[in-house]
Each structure stands twice: as structure tokens, then as C-alpha cells.
Amino acid sequence: MHILTAFIFLALSSGAAAEEFKTVVFDIELVDTSQAAELGIRNDQIQRLQLVSDELRTLLQASPQIELIDTAPKREDVTQKAPLHKCSGCAEDLAKDLGADLVVSGIVQKTSDLILSFAVTIKDAHSGKIVRGGQADIRGNTDESWLRGIRWLVKNRLLAEPISVTP
């Protein structure tokens, strides 16, 4: 009986609480390579970027491994350094300044109103090493298609397995 009790304890404790990471999630950025790019970013795209950025935060925060850190104290720095996908490590620097272990950032690339693609990475804020990443192609430039894309990406790529950071 004691052996069974010990086995159950070990089985439960080994899968118990996974490590929790302080995480900064920056807003998704638009990379518009469509013919309409020269007209500038449209209001509906600005709203969709906020919609999927908020959804990304909500989905990640539901993970027991993620503790979100507010980016408000560095909002001015983020604005100055934007777009973050072109700033060569500044996202990691901003995350470290906020006390984060991980930094999540990404883009949605718009090839046309029909063809779009999300790419999101989770990086170690200290080393800059990619811990997890993924890409999802979507068809259609609607709220529903953007949300479906970010939800699929989080479920099937970013949180498909427990997050692990190796030194």
C-alpha cells in the first residue's frame, strides 16, 4: 500500500504546477505588402490589430504558465521604437526593463484582402532565443478570420506543449 501511495504522489507531483513565466505581450503589428499598402493603414485594420492583440493576451493569460506584465510603463518607448519587428532586439530589452522572463510579439502580413498570415514568437527576454513560435495563414480580411487565425496559432503552436526555457 505504501508503494502505491508513493507512486501516486510522484505521478501527481511530477506533472504538477509547471513553471510560471512573467510575460510581456506586445501588440501584433501589420506588415502590408498588398497593392493597397501605399494608401496607408485602414481604420478597420487598426481595430483588428487591437482585437487580435487583446485576444492573444487573453488566451496566453489563461495558461497557468503565463503571468502577464503590463506594458503601460514603457508605452512611450514602445511607440518610439515601433515597429518592433524591425528594431533588432529592442522588444527583448523593453521586456527585461519590465521584469519579464518572456516576450511575445508578432505580425500579420497582408498580401491582399484575401491572403493574410500571422507569425508570432515567444522569446526568452534575457537571451533573445526563440522558445516557441508559429505561423497561421488565413483567408479573408474580417474580424472572424483574424480571430480564428490567432486562436488556432495559440492553441496549436504557442501553447500546444508546456513552455520550457533552457539556459
Side-chain angles (χ1 to χ4, degrees):
M1 187 72 152
H2 296 300
I3 294 173
L4 180 58
T5 304
F7 177 74
I8 291 171
F9 175 77
L10 287 172
L12 291 175
S13 64
S14 66
E19 187 174 358
E20 184 176 73
F21 300 100
K22 293 180 180 181
T23 306
V24 168
V25 181
F26 290 113
D27 287 342
I28 300 292
E29 297 175 324
L30 178 68
V31 176
D32 191 349
T33 57
S34 71
Q35 289 180 342
E38 62 194 35
L39 301 175
I41 189 166
R42 301 182 332 216
N43 285 336
D44 62 331
Q45 293 171 331
I46 293 170
Q47 292 169 351
R48 283 190 191 106
L49 288 168
Q50 193 60 59
L51 179 69
V52 295
S53 296
D54 291 346
E55 184 70 3
L56 176 61
R57 285 183 186 89
T58 298
L59 295 170
L60 291 175
Q61 188 171 22
S63 166
Q65 286 197 272
I66 303 292
E67 176 190 338
L68 290 187
I69 294 177
D70 187 10
T71 59
K74 291 288 182 180
R75 186 164 291 138
E76 188 175 312
D77 292 339
V78 171
T79 301
Q80 288 176 354
K81 295 177 188 290
L84 297 183
H85 69 273
K86 290 185 175 183
C87 71
S88 298
C90 71
E92 291 87 346
D93 292 339
L94 291 166
K96 283 188 290 191
D97 290 348
L98 289 164
D101 303 308
L102 300 175
V103 58
V104 179
S105 60
I107 62 164
V108 59
Q109 182 174 353
K110 179 183 172 194
T111 304
S112 70
D113 271 336
L114 180 61
I115 302 169
L116 299 102
S117 179
F118 283 99
V120 178
T121 58
I122 300 175
K123 292 183 179 180
D124 181 322
H126 303 284
S127 70
K129 180 181 174 187
I130 295 175
V131 173
R132 188 74 48 82
Q135 182 176 336
D137 295 334
I138 60 172
R139 298 294 177 256
N141 195 6
T142 66
D143 291 356
E144 182 182 337
S145 63
W146 283 47
L147 285 170
R148 189 172 43 247
I150 201 69
R151 289 172 180 154
W152 185 91
L153 184 60
V154 171
K155 178 183 175 188
N156 295 290
R157 296 296 182 259
L158 301 182
L159 296 179
E161 300 174 5
I163 296 170
S164 167
V165 176
T166 54

